[in-house]
């Protein structure tokens, strides 16, 4: 089961091409048109040839205003920025505070200790499915991805795992990927995220931080995707209801997504 292909970027965390992911019945995601990553605050367009070679036209930033202010994106040459704030209705939730939590073991213990970490992250995934602000953000992302003039598109959050993970999951399901493929791609980011955050985690642990809390901060887990899918199924009866009635994505946009992003073979 193929997941997104890692792009060997020097200055962007967790950069992956969704192209090549199998959609069933001899269909795959088109390569070179849709990419996911962590934040671009360290991007060096002049030095990072792997990123420059992608020809990115549009960057979709899924982060909150505080995250964007703290670590503003550096854009690839000739790319435009499109903000689609998923958690603007809930800016204090854990995925929007990954780096600050890793920098403060005491605050991380207060917020996420005692087994609360997984519960709070799972609840955030429910919010990403159910909140009106998240719906508006994901609709904007899908409309951007459907626009041929906007592609290639790079979409990201802070680590490229939670808000970005659900964006990728929804897109892949729209394109026809079975849930097993979606799950495989969702979990495949963990090694890259662990590597990217290793220095912060080491400092966190040296400062007395709980290893279980650190793991919860930097990992995605099967339960998180399950919670999101369950919320989608319970509220809207599945993907079609979610996309049409929750996200309110027009049929014409769905058609353009499938026409532009699916290839045979």
């Amino acid at each position: 089961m193929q997941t997104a292909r890692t792009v060997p970027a020097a200055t962007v965390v967790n950069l992956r091409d969704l192209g090549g992911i199998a959609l069933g019945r001899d269909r795959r995601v088109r390569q070179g048109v849709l990419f996911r990553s962590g934040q671009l605050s360290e991007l060096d367009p002049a030095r990072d040839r792997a990123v420059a070679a992608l020809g990115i036209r549009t960057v979709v930033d899924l982060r909150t205003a505080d995250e964007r202010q703290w670590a503003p994106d550096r854009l690839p040459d000739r790319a435009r920025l499109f903000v689609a704030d998923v958690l603007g209705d809930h800016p204090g939730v854990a995925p929007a505070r990954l780096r600050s939590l890793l920098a403060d073991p005491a605050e991380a213990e207060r917020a996420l200790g005692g087994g609360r970490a997984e519960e709070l992250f799972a609840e955030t995934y429910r919010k990403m499915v159910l909140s009106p602000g998240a719906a508006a953000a994901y609709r904007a992302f899908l409309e951007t991805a459907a626009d041929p003039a906007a592609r290639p598109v790079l979409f990201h959050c802070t680590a490229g795992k939670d808000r970005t993970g659900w964006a990728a999951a929804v897109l892949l399901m729209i394109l026809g990927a079975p849930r097993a493929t979606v799950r495989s791609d969702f979990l495949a980011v963990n090694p890259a995220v662990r590597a990217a955050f290793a220095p912060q985690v080491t400092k966190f642990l040296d400062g007395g931080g709980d290893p279980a809390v650190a793991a919860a901060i930097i990992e995605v887990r099967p339960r998180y995707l399950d919670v999101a899918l369950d919320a989608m199924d319970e509220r809207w009866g599945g993907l079609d209801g979610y996309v049409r009635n929750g996200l309110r994505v027009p049929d014409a946009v769905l058609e353009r997504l499938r026409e532009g992003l699916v290839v045979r073979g």
Side-chain angles (χ1 to χ4, degrees), residues 70-89:
W70 182 82
D73 275 348
R74 296 177 179 176
L75 298 180
D77 291 341
R78 294 181 293 280
R80 71 182 182 97
L81 177 66
F82 188 91
V83 173
D85 183 349
V86 172
L87 294 176
D89 294 347

Side-chain angles (χ1 to χ4, degrees), residues 170-182:
V170 173
L171 181 64
L172 290 172
M173 287 188 290
I174 288 172
L175 298 182
R179 289 194 180 186
T181 298
V182 171

